[in-house]
Amino acid sequence: MLDPQGGASMRDRKLVVAGLIVGDDRRVLITQRRADQSLPLQWEFPGGKVEPGESPEAALARELVEEIGAIARVGRIWDVLFHAYPTFDLVMLVYACRLDGEPRAVEVADLAWVTPVDMQRYDILPADLPLVRRLAAEGPPGLQFP
């Protein structure tokens, strides 16, 4: 779509971060959106928006404390995803993470530890589906943290 002056697209582009949190039993943590949010009650990988001036790693650490009440060790980027929603484009940086402490539903409706195969039975956000497919095909990565 062109702007009225014939320039580039006027679509918003949002940078978000997500945590690929793999437990010792190789299950992966997903969270359910609240009923009062857009795309209500769908499941996603925990994370959120990167605020202006904030590094992606700091944004993810902040979002995980806010959403699931847990301190995270944010590792390396494991995947980069793009999804064109009807009104904006989303770019998602997916980081491998380890949690210090047990997660709990703070700013999310629910959370679940699931195997990559079982994850396909959940109503996952469209932007997160490529990650679900990759996990089902490859399995969760063996994540190394100091």
Side-chain angles (χ1 to χ4, degrees), residues 17-23 29 46 57 60-61 64 68 71-78 93-100 113 141 143-145:
V17 288
L20 176 59
I21 302 167
V22 180
L29 183 70
E57 296 87 351
L60 182 55
L64 293 175
I68 62 173
I71 303 293
R73 289 178 280 161
V74 178
R76 295 181 177 169
I77 290 178
W78 192 72
L93 305 177
V94 181
Y95 287 85
C97 296
R98 282 277 190 213
L99 297 182
D100 294 329
W113 290 97
L143 306 177
Q144 302 294 323
F145 287 88

Side-chain angles (χ1 to χ4, degrees), residues 81-101:
L81 304 173
F82 171 84
H83 184 78
Y85 280 103
T87 59
F88 66 92
D89 293 335
L90 182 125
V91 176
M92 182 188 311
L93 305 177
V94 181
Y95 287 85
C97 296
R98 282 277 190 213
L99 297 182
D100 294 329

Side-chain angles (χ1 to χ4, degrees), residues 2-139:
L2 297 180
D3 72 18
Q5 285 76 36
S9 172
M10 292 175 39
R11 285 176 61 85
D12 284 337
R13 178 164 286 179
K14 295 182 183 181
L15 176 62
V16 299
V17 288
L20 176 59
I21 302 167
V22 180
D24 292 336
D25 60 1
R26 313 277 294 150
R27 291 184 301 157
V28 176
L29 183 70
I30 57 174
T31 57
Q32 187 178 38
R33 296 174 66 82
R34 295 185 323 265
D36 64 340
Q37 292 179 291
S38 62
L39 304 168
L41 303 178
Q42 286 190 285
W43 292 83
E44 64 185 341
F45 293 89
K49 294 178 189 170
V50 178
E51 299 296 336
E54 186 177 40
S55 75
E57 296 87 351
L60 182 55
R62 174 186 52 77
E63 287 283 352
L64 293 175
V65 168
E66 291 173 4
E67 289 186 0
I68 62 173
I71 303 293
R73 289 178 280 161
V74 178
R76 295 181 177 169
I77 290 178
W78 192 72
D79 210 342
V80 178
L81 304 173
F82 171 84
H83 184 78
Y85 280 103
T87 59
F88 66 92
D89 293 335
L90 182 125
V91 176
M92 182 188 311
L93 305 177
V94 181
Y95 287 85
C97 296
R98 282 277 190 213
L99 297 182
D100 294 329
E102 285 297 312
R104 63 191 193 286
V106 177
E107 288 188 2
V108 297
D110 200 2
L111 55 84
W113 290 97
V114 297
T115 66
V117 171
D118 288 341
M119 196 179 300
Q120 297 176 78
R121 298 183 190 139
Y122 286 76
D123 184 16
I124 301 285
L125 285 178
D128 292 31
L129 286 174
L131 186 55
V132 170
R133 288 192 287 271
R134 180 176 177 195
L135 286 167
E138 299 176 14

